[in-house]
Amino acid sequence: MSTIQQFSRSEITKENPRFSPFKVLVESAFYGNHVRSVQNIQEAYEMAKNAPGTVVTDMLIKHAKDLGLAEDTKILVNNDGAIVGRTAAARVIVTEPGIDREGYRRVLREAVYQATKQEFYKTEVVVGLDEEFMVRSHLMLPKGFEMNLYSYMLNFQLATQEWLDKYKQSKPYPENDIYIFANPEWSHPDFPNGLALFMPEANVAAILGLRYFGELKKATLTLAWATAHRNGFVACHGGMKQYHLPDKTFTMAAFGLSGSGKSTITLAKHHDENSKVEVLHDDAFVINRATGSTTALEPSYFDKVQDYPLTDDAVNYFLTCQNVGITLDEEGKKVLVLEDVRNGNGRTVKSRYVTPNRVDHLSEKIDAIFWIMKDNTLPPVIKINNPTLAAVFGLTLATKRSTAENLVGKVRRDQLVIEPYANPFRSYKLSEDYLAFRELFANQHTACYVLNTDEFNGKKVTKEVTLGSIEKIIAESGEFKPFGTIEDVEYLAIDGYPVDFEDKAYCERLKDRMETRLDFIRAQDHLKDGYHALPQETAELMRKIVNQLS
């Protein structure tokens, strides 16, 4: 069995590291008289369907029976208020330097006590869809948030008897089950933006004062990724797919923040009718550092709806929707208003059946990793031929914030930021991710490309250009040229996107952007008492690039 839920009485001692104060505090709440277990998905649907605020559309979902639901199951909608995205400012990792652990324990103890005055539900799911990596997760959520409970049970793999039998055969890990205590109705004057509190080593979290469903999904993934990281896996916030071509297979991963094009790239079909594309997932997976195999963490997709008109076939696979509109069609039936008309970051939990060739595990090593950036000094595609430099470019992945985030304070959404490996959910040292990816590139000979999905020299890089470039790479038909004087870097020659190193203004902009990356690397030495300090080689490599552009 993968993670530990039950203990012998002799193990239940203060000396056992499995029983940290945070773990005991959170898990204990699950056994109160005010908490009712919900494990049947049909029951969860009926509860969500009848909850105040839910809109029951007149749109049937496909494959309802396969999901354990009745044939007449309809898409359900619930909408939040002002906040329709994740709140990074609420996130606290108690293992990081300078954190008042006892202070946060007091806050959490009071939150758990106050919750005894409410009715709660709890449910259990499996995170990780192959016996190579499976973790059990428990969620506790108050009455009134039945839609989030139902969406959670759909987003992850519900712990049915079939899956629990499979789970019992999975590889064991010396880790606790995941426990997440959530109360969106909690408030505290010291935490006006809510509180997302994580104790990664104990596999527990408290999500307080935050209504957005994505907080529950990413909290679960945060702990599952940390568990995977501690046990020989690379934690990945990205998409993974495999092309089956007439003469070969090609396995690729694409890493990017929400809104970067990650899902578009992962779910895109191949133009060759004689080829097949298998999709692992578009958001969350782990890579076995020893073998290179990959495992998806979720069966469903939690996707933005901004690019979906109501007539898109994918809408048939929507299960629940969050923060979208409703109107009546010509027959007077309640239907969805998508494309972010109501607000930014409209979302859906979409079933696995939207991708006809969906798989949960790939045993083959990864042929190529694509870092997706929004950096207008880079052409649409560059190739990194040095394994260490490939890891450094992932470390300094430059992008822009999307509507998936609730920005707090004076933060501009169009401001360029660096988000290492496109993973804002890391709960361990940044250097550990860097070393894991460097090892992947060096030992498994994984190729590295950077995709700029923003604009280049004032011209938008369209999704057609990006997808066409990937197909050229797979077919080995693209022409790569030296990227100026930068060693070990080439760019893909694409009509309409010329690269002119005779243009001094362009070279200066490119140099400035590389200096921004260098500044980011150096800054890690001084942030959080150097907790995220990086090996010296990272700064040296980026400084070398800056010097080559001088």
Side-chain angles (χ1 to χ4, degrees), residues 30-83:
F30 279 73
Y31 307 118
N33 286 334
H34 62 300
V35 185
R36 179 165 76 87
S37 178
V38 180
Q39 277 304 117
N40 183 283
I41 193 65
Q42 186 64 41
E43 178 188 6
Y45 170 75
E46 296 297 335
M47 289 165 52
K49 176 182 175 182
N50 295 314
T54 297
V55 178
V56 183
T57 72
D58 292 307
M59 302 172 65
L60 295 173
I61 67 171
K62 280 191 173 183
H63 295 278
K65 189 175 180 180
D66 296 323
L67 296 165
L69 293 163
E71 293 287 358
D72 62 349
T73 299
K74 296 176 180 178
I75 298 173
L76 303 183
V77 176
N78 72 301
N79 291 322
D80 296 321
I83 297 172

Side-chain angles (χ1 to χ4, degrees), residues 114-181:
Q114 294 297 337
T116 62
K117 314 303 178 185
Q118 302 170 255
E119 294 181 54
F120 272 74
Y121 307 112
K122 65 180 177 181
T123 194
E124 178 182 318
V125 298
V126 174
V127 186
L129 304 180
D130 185 82
E131 287 89 344
E132 187 169 280
F133 182 79
M134 302 176 92
V135 180
R136 184 161 38 196
S137 179
H138 309 263
L139 172 69
M140 180 174 162
L141 194 64
K143 184 177 181 179
F145 293 89
E146 289 83 358
M147 273 291 292
N148 276 359
L149 181 78
Y150 174 56
S151 291
Y152 189 85
M153 295 167 72
L154 290 169
N155 185 85
F156 295 103
Q157 180 56 58
L158 190 63
T160 61
Q161 190 57 54
E162 175 188 354
W163 274 88
L164 287 176
D165 289 343
K166 187 174 182 179
Y167 179 82
K168 291 175 183 177
Q169 303 303 316
S170 63
K171 183 177 179 180
Y173 294 103
E175 302 280 351
N176 293 321
D177 280 8
I178 292 171
Y179 288 89
I180 298 175
F181 168 77

